[in-house]
Amino acid sequence: CTFTLAGDVTAGGLPSEDEIAKDLENSDDTVKKHALKAAIMAMLGGEAMPRILMQVIRFCINSDDKQLKKLCMLYWEVVPKYQDMTSDELMQQAAGQHVSRKLLPEMILVCNALMNDLNHPNEFVRGSMLRFLCKITDEEILGPLIPSIKACLTHRHAYVRKNAALAVFHAHKLHGDHLLPDGSDLIAEFIAAETDTASRRNAFMMLLHENEPLAFEFLGQHMGDGISKFGDGFSLLVLELTRRVCRKDPTQKSRFVRVLFHLLGSESAAVSYEASWTLISLSNSPTAVRAAAVTYSNLLNGQTDNNVQLIVLDRLEGLQQTHPKIVQELLMDIMRALSSPNPDICEKVLKIAMDNVNSRNVESVITALKRELQKALGDDDEKSVAVRHLLVDAIHDCAKKFPHVAESVVGLLMELLSSTERTSFQVAMFVRAIIQEHAPLRATLLPKLVESLGDITSPPVMCVVLWILGEYTTPENAQEAFDDIVKEVGSTPFVVAEEPKDKPDVEEPKLVTKNVVLSDGTYATQTSYTSSKPVETTDNTPKLRKMIVANGDIFVAETLVSSLTKLVLHFPAADKARTAQTVLILCAVTKLAETNRAPNVAQRSSYSDCRERCSLCCRILLDPKTRDLLKPILLEDGKKQLATYLAKLAESAPKKTKKEDESKTAAQADDLIHFRQLKSMTVSGGDVDLDDGSDLARATGYDKASSIWDKDNSHCYPLSGFADPVYAEAIVTVHDYDIVLEILVINRTANTLADLTVELSTMGDMKIVERPQSHTIGPMDQKTIRASIKVSSTETGHIFGSIVYTDMVSQEQKLIHLNDIHMDIMDYIRPASCSEELFRSMWAEFEWENKVAIATSLTSLKDFLDHIVTSTKMKCLTAPPGEGDTSTFLAANLYARR
């Protein structure tokens, strides 16, 4: 039972037994309620308080105050109801004999009061008392009340009847042979004449658990009338009965098929959901599974609650493993859930779609994805961007699996090259892979890329597009592509245009005051500002030139000169004019790099690389020998390296291993099975079964218990010493922005410690949101106390405090100072994974690149990388070097998150 009492009861400490007894004699019900709450709290803390029982019987039991009656019911639950056991009875109980305890004489008066409430003319009082009796387990108390409980079954009010059915169920379950031998027949007569849905449901629940044949008989009599009219609660019980009966006797499945199909169309989402998975668990026929899958699909599209949709999607994921063809038939209905704004739901739907897409439905799937992508293009909020990213990934997967649909989706994806940086870079990577793997599409895609140069705003995307144009443009179209790119670059040299000194004066807002008449007829003064029209910007500088000249992006400039050099090499004949134009651009880029106006440190440190790249391109353009030597490398090696990179990506992608897992043998059929319970209790020396640990591991499916122990033990902090009267230790659990302390407190003395409180304080950006409550701990007893701390940043912090308690023998208040708990930033970090595109976008956004010199005794790059990964609790996203790798340079990406 869970008690919810006001917190002001314990403010300033609990009153004594004499004070509570005196307050209970007060005529004011408010004072009585406060005293009764204090008595309940004290008894829950371990206090006996024997004098309070008679005071409650005398002054509270006959009150008409509803809240006081509820508190009395809580008091009856916690109060000791039996006399203390004698020494002889304790010895008999220790010997294993059954000892019948004697009821307190005061309980006779309590039973009389309970009976009065059961016969009360107010139906609320009767119903509340019947609900309270469902928590009483004592046969001596329930026995005298059975006639009154039976009489409540025929009460005129439905609230009393439904609680009476629950009370009968409770009494019959505990003491049916003695108190209610005819309970099942009584409820069978009751349910046959009952018209209230809640009362019928409670009665059927008793028949379901206590007399299954009677429940089955009642269901058979009313199966033709329609079960759904009996209410949702009754329908759920029918489904539970169906599962029970069919597990015991599978031949009974045919008798419930009509009921299950009828409940699939219930208006209640809970009933239709339960009916669906009940039907799947009982039958594997395609008709039944298809009907259940259709119900899941209707629930997915008919419910707006995100939790319901996620639960249904989990069921559909499980269904596709056993019946993939049926899920493929309903795939388009499932994909309608992509309209949800929740990224988690869209991710699950797309996962199901990608697992079930095939050559027959890929056209429909692509059409649905394109439609949802066009909808997502209209919104720029964070959720829409996340959904857009998932949709682009799904389209990319479909294009890789079915190349014939790539051409139909690339046109739409081209529009995303000018969207947010993350999505546009993802689309650029997708276009690059499509152009490399599907040569026939190059003639269509390359002109579209040239047209999109004027709309691209992201420097990384511009670099990818320029590289594609320089690498894959054919000799026939090289001159046209060259002219289009140079048009976007503009004239040389790259000089930033100065702003005009005489700017037009912008008119400042004017203050306007006027009198207005309000709705009630009074006058008021209204003040407002009038602003002038915004000045329209007339900057027509192309995006590519703005990136290079205005922003000083060295990486874009390097990619530009490399692409122009490749295009010149693609010319079918020598073109001196375009070659000279390329050389001028090379000189302008070199001069721009010398100005050192790059936006970040990484680009400012790349000046030497840019100069070497420009020098090499000049030599290729002006020296025929250098051109003949480097032309094959410059035009062909890029494609080969990209093909190798895409092949490695395909190998590293996770593959389905379901069939392999199913075919893997867990244990041989003729393996010896050890029954540890059947071994002899006397084991001779040396006769120790060394295979017990492996048996336990095979039985539980887990053989790394030591790692769990090490993980928990590493976050266990001793707060006090073993010599202290109270020993305390804390297990710290960090989850996102929450820290949970589970403090184990052990009383090492022979005295009872009252009002024991763990007082905690914090240093740093931490705040205690749930302070530990006071407890009373008996001699040599222990208690686990929880405390919650909210973290506002990942800075280092400290948790310190003390334990305050009162010794009940000496009545002295004592204090124990606790050791500090040091919370480090490493406690918040967890290894995680992310895509390469997302990693690069975050790296460019945060500009975290710093050079750190480290002195180490490790001589192997692989060992040093493993040491860094272990020390920083991060995950390496880059493939580690092989065993035979002797290189002296390594670039690795590490990722972790909170």
Side-chain angles (χ1 to χ4, degrees):
C1 179
T2 302
F3 296 94
T4 305
L5 300 177
D8 58 349
V9 176
T10 59
L14 291 173
S16 63
E17 185 176 5
D18 295 335
E19 293 174 345
I20 293 175
K22 184 177 179 181
D23 290 341
L24 289 175
E25 297 178 6
N26 198 303
S27 59
D28 188 2
D29 287 341
T30 304
V31 178
K32 290 182 180 180
K33 287 185 283 188
H34 190 84
L36 195 54
K37 288 180 183 179
I40 294 173
M41 294 294 293
M43 297 180 71
L44 289 175
E47 300 291 337
M49 292 197 171
R51 287 183 52 197
I52 303 301
L53 177 59
M54 202 61 203
Q55 294 293 97
V56 173
I57 294 175
R58 291 175 58 193
F59 300 106
C60 301
I61 204 169
N62 294 320
S63 175
D64 292 332
D65 188 90
K66 300 295 189 298
Q67 189 176 2
L68 188 57
K69 280 185 173 293
K70 289 183 178 180
L71 289 173
C72 287
M73 294 178 188
L74 292 177
Y75 179 77
W76 303 138
E77 286 191 58
V78 299
V79 69
K81 304 175 183 63
Y82 294 92
Q83 299 178 6
D84 294 336
M85 299 177 67
T86 63
S87 58
D88 295 337
E89 291 175 343
L90 288 174
M91 293 297 293
Q92 293 177 6
Q93 187 178 23
Q97 301 178 10
H98 176 70
V99 178
S100 58
R101 302 182 61 183
K102 297 180 181 179
L103 202 68
L104 288 173
E106 293 87 345
M107 286 294 113
I108 300 176
L109 301 176
V110 175
C111 291
N112 187 42
L114 299 181
M115 187 179 300
N116 292 337
D117 285 345
L118 285 178
N119 299 324
H120 200 279
N122 189 315
E123 59 271 6
F124 176 77
V125 175
R126 281 199 182 194
S128 300
M129 181 52 59
L130 288 167
R131 293 187 63 181
F132 164 71
L133 291 180
C134 294
K135 300 179 181 180
I136 299 298
T137 59
D138 306 288
E139 184 178 0
E140 292 84 354
I141 297 177
L142 288 175
L145 305 178
I146 292 299
S148 299
I149 295 175
K150 290 182 178 180
C152 290
L153 290 173
T154 58
H155 195 270
R156 58 179 177 81
H157 203 281
Y159 179 73
V160 178
R161 297 198 302 273
K162 73 174 184 179
N163 287 299
L166 286 178
V168 171
F169 173 35
H170 176 73
H172 189 271
K173 180 173 64 175
L174 296 177
H175 315 287
D177 297 338
H178 301 89
L179 299 182
L180 275 171
D182 58 340
S184 299
D185 298 331
L186 184 66
I187 291 298
E189 297 176 1
F190 169 77
I191 194 175
E194 184 56 49
T195 57
D196 180 65
T197 56
S199 303
R200 187 189 295 113
R201 182 254 179 198
N202 292 344
F204 189 76
M205 182 171 63
M206 177 188 170
L207 295 180
L208 172 65
H209 291 88
E210 300 300 318
N211 197 325
E212 199 172 278
L214 286 178
F216 195 71
E217 180 182 351
F218 176 81
L219 182 61
Q221 294 174 356
H222 298 81
M223 193 175 294
D225 302 338
I227 302 299
S228 58
K229 71 176 184 179
F230 288 168
D232 299 340
F234 188 87
S235 300
L236 293 174
L237 289 176
V238 170
L239 293 173
E240 184 179 352
L241 175 64
T242 302
R243 292 190 290 269
R244 283 191 175 193
V245 173
C246 294
R247 287 194 189 102
K248 294 179 181 178
D249 188 5
T251 59
Q252 300 287 339
K253 293 181 181 180
S254 59
R255 305 184 62 177
F256 292 96
V257 170
R258 188 175 63 175
V259 177
L260 293 177
F261 275 93
H262 179 72
L263 293 179
L264 287 177
S266 174
E267 297 180 358
S268 171
V271 174
S272 57
Y273 173 80
E274 291 285 337
S276 299
W277 81 264
T278 301
L279 187 60
I280 293 175
S281 62
L282 298 181
S283 175
N284 288 324
S285 66
T287 304
V289 176
R290 186 175 289 105
V294 170
T295 304
Y296 282 147
S297 176
N298 294 336
L299 287 174
L300 180 63
N301 298 306
Q303 298 295 317
T304 57
D305 190 348
N306 294 337
N307 295 324
V308 174
Q309 291 180 319
L310 290 172
I311 292 172
V312 172
L313 287 171
D314 288 337
R315 287 290 181 182
L316 288 171
E317 283 184 353
L319 190 63
Q320 75 174 0
Q321 298 177 1
T322 54
H323 302 85
K325 293 184 178 180
I326 295 177
V327 177
Q328 290 174 5
E329 295 175 5
L330 301 172
L331 187 57
M332 299 313 300
D333 292 333
I334 296 173
M335 292 187 66
R336 287 167 52 195
L338 287 174
S339 58
S340 172
N342 191 311
D344 295 331
I345 295 176
C346 295
E347 183 178 4
K348 280 186 172 292
V349 172
L350 290 174
K351 184 178 182 302
I352 294 175
M354 292 302 100
D355 291 341
N356 294 279
V357 65
N358 52 31
S359 57
R360 290 176 295 178
N361 59 14
V362 65
E363 298 289 347
S364 302
V365 171
I366 288 293
T367 303
L369 293 176
K370 289 165 60 177
R371 182 176 63 250
E372 296 298 330
L373 186 58
Q374 288 175 342
K375 292 179 182 178
L377 289 176
D379 299 329
D380 290 332
D381 57 337
E382 185 178 355
K383 291 184 178 180
S384 298
V385 172
V387 172
R388 193 187 309 166
H389 183 73
L390 295 173
L391 291 172
V392 173
D393 271 343
I395 293 175
H396 190 185
D397 292 342
C398 288
K400 287 193 298 185
K401 293 179 181 178
F402 309 98
H404 65 278
V405 302
E407 186 176 0
S408 63
V409 300
V410 171
L412 176 62
L413 294 179
M414 287 293 186
E415 301 177 7
L416 295 175
L417 289 176
S418 59
S419 61
T420 59
E421 185 169 345
R422 179 184 174 187
T423 306
S424 59
F425 187 74
Q426 182 187 11
V427 172
M429 293 291 103
F430 166 62
V431 173
R432 186 183 67 175
I434 291 296
I435 290 178
Q436 168 64 27
E437 296 174 348
H438 308 289
L441 298 179
R442 296 174 185 174
T444 306
L445 299 182
L446 292 177
K448 293 182 179 179
L449 287 178
V450 175
E451 294 175 1
S452 64
L453 283 176
D455 300 327
I456 298 174
T457 58
S458 172
V461 176
M462 183 66 76
C463 291
V464 175
V465 172
L466 289 175
W467 185 88
I468 293 174
L469 293 176
E471 198 73 35
Y472 296 98
T473 302
T474 59
E476 295 80 10
N477 301 323
Q479 295 180 352
E480 183 180 355
F482 181 92
D483 294 338
D484 291 334
I485 295 176
V486 170
K487 182 179 178 182
E488 293 293 327
V489 174
S491 61
T492 55
F494 295 149
V495 180
V496 180
E498 296 183 359
E499 298 181 356
K501 296 181 180 179
D502 299 332
K503 293 184 178 180
D505 295 335
V506 180
E507 185 179 355
E508 295 182 357
K510 295 181 179 179
L511 182 65
V512 178
T513 304
K514 61 180 179 179
N515 296 328
V516 294
V517 181
L518 301 180
S519 58
D520 57 355
T522 59
Y523 290 93
T525 302
Q526 184 181 46
T527 303
S528 61
Y529 286 91
T530 59
S531 59
S532 59
K533 294 183 179 179
V535 180
E536 296 181 359
T537 58
T538 58
D539 186 8
N540 297 323
T541 307
K543 301 289 193 307
L544 179 55
R545 183 179 179 85
K546 187 180 295 185
M547 291 178 190
I548 298 175
V549 180
N551 300 333
D553 198 310
I554 300 300
F555 294 157
V556 176
E558 288 186 41
T559 310
L560 170 66
V561 297
S562 177
S563 299
L564 291 179
T565 304
K566 292 178 183 178
L567 289 175
V568 172
L569 295 179
H570 277 300
F571 290 165
D575 192 332
K576 294 183 179 180
R578 290 186 173 89
T579 302
Q581 198 170 9
T582 305
V583 173
L584 288 176
I585 294 176
L586 287 169
C587 296
V589 169
T590 307
K591 188 67 176 178
L592 180 68
E594 291 178 357
T595 60
N596 205 13
R597 292 190 300 102
N600 53 47
V601 179
Q603 294 196 11
R604 286 195 292 270
S605 62
S606 302
Y607 163 66
S608 59
D609 294 339
C610 179
R611 185 176 57 184
E612 291 180 6
R613 175 71 65 87
C614 293
S615 301
L616 179 62
C617 291
C618 283
R619 292 184 60 189
I620 292 173
L621 293 175
L622 301 178
D623 186 3
K625 293 183 178 179
T626 306
R627 176 185 300 183
D628 296 339
L629 179 64
L630 297 181
K631 181 177 179 180
I633 300 175
L634 201 62
L635 297 183
E636 300 297 333
D637 280 7
K639 301 184 184 68
K640 294 179 181 178
Q641 293 297 327
L642 179 59
T644 305
Y645 170 73
L646 294 176
K648 288 184 178 180
L649 283 183
E651 292 176 0
S652 60
K655 299 179 181 179
K656 294 183 180 179
T657 58
K658 176 186 171 183
K659 293 183 179 179
E660 296 179 2
D661 294 341
E662 290 179 352
S663 60
K664 186 177 179 180
T665 303
Q668 296 295 334
D670 55 349
D671 282 352
L672 184 64
I673 301 176
H674 297 278
F675 291 95
R676 195 173 294 103
Q677 292 81 359
L678 301 181
K679 291 183 179 180
S680 174
M681 296 299 294
T682 58
V683 181
S684 59
D687 189 14
V688 180
D689 189 358
L690 299 178
D691 202 36
D692 279 356
S694 61
D695 287 348
L696 186 61
R698 288 196 300 172
T700 58
Y702 184 76
D703 57 353
K704 297 180 180 180
S706 59
S707 64
I708 292 183
W709 168 254
D710 293 340
K711 181 179 178 181
D712 291 341
N713 195 33
S714 63
H715 295 282
C716 182
Y717 301 90
L719 302 181
S720 63
F722 290 107
D724 291 324
V726 177
Y727 174 75
E729 65 181 21
I731 295 179
V732 181
T733 304
V734 179
H735 179 69
D736 292 340
Y737 294 94
D738 297 323
I739 298 177
V740 179
L741 298 180
E742 294 186 2
I743 305 173
L744 175 64
V745 179
I746 302 177
N747 181 9
R748 298 174 58 84
T749 66
N751 305 332
T752 300
L753 306 182
D755 296 334
L756 187 144
T757 306
V758 180
E759 298 179 351
L760 298 175
S761 300
T762 60
M763 288 181 58
D765 295 331
M766 295 187 294
K767 179 182 179 182
I768 300 177
V769 295
E770 182 185 351
R771 293 189 177 274
Q773 300 295 324
S774 301
H775 296 274
T776 299
I777 304 180
M780 309 306 292
D781 198 1
Q782 65 183 26
K783 179 79 70 175
T784 300
I785 303 173
R786 291 174 59 91
S788 298
I789 299 176
K790 201 74 174 177
V791 182
S792 57
S793 70
T794 56
E795 300 297 329
T796 300
H798 293 269
I799 304 173
F800 58 95
S802 58
I803 294 179
V804 182
Y805 63 91
T806 301
D807 194 327
M808 296 299 293
V809 176
S810 61
Q811 294 298 321
E812 294 180 0
Q813 190 173 19
K814 298 183 180 180
L815 175 70
I816 299 177
H817 291 285
L818 303 179
N819 298 327
D820 294 353
I821 299 177
H822 176 73
M823 300 302 301
D824 192 11
I825 186 175
M826 300 304 297
D827 295 329
Y828 304 98
I829 294 178
R830 298 290 182 271
S833 300
C834 72
S835 63
E836 183 179 356
E837 294 83 3
L838 179 59
F839 185 91
R840 291 184 181 276
S841 64
M842 289 190 295
W843 186 270
E845 178 181 356
F846 297 116
E847 298 184 2
W848 283 342
E849 185 169 350
N850 292 311
K851 294 182 179 179
V852 181
I854 299 176
T856 177
S857 59
L858 299 175
T859 57
S860 171
L861 285 177
K862 185 177 183 303
D863 295 340
F864 182 71
L865 178 62
D866 294 340
H867 174 68
I868 293 294
V869 169
T870 304
S871 302
T872 58
K873 295 184 180 180
M874 304 182 78
K875 181 177 181 180
C876 182
L877 304 180
T878 309
E883 295 295 337
D885 193 349
T886 58
S887 60
T888 58
F889 176 79
L890 172 65
N893 296 335
L894 307 182
Y895 184 71
R897 62 182 302 171
R898 293 193 56 179

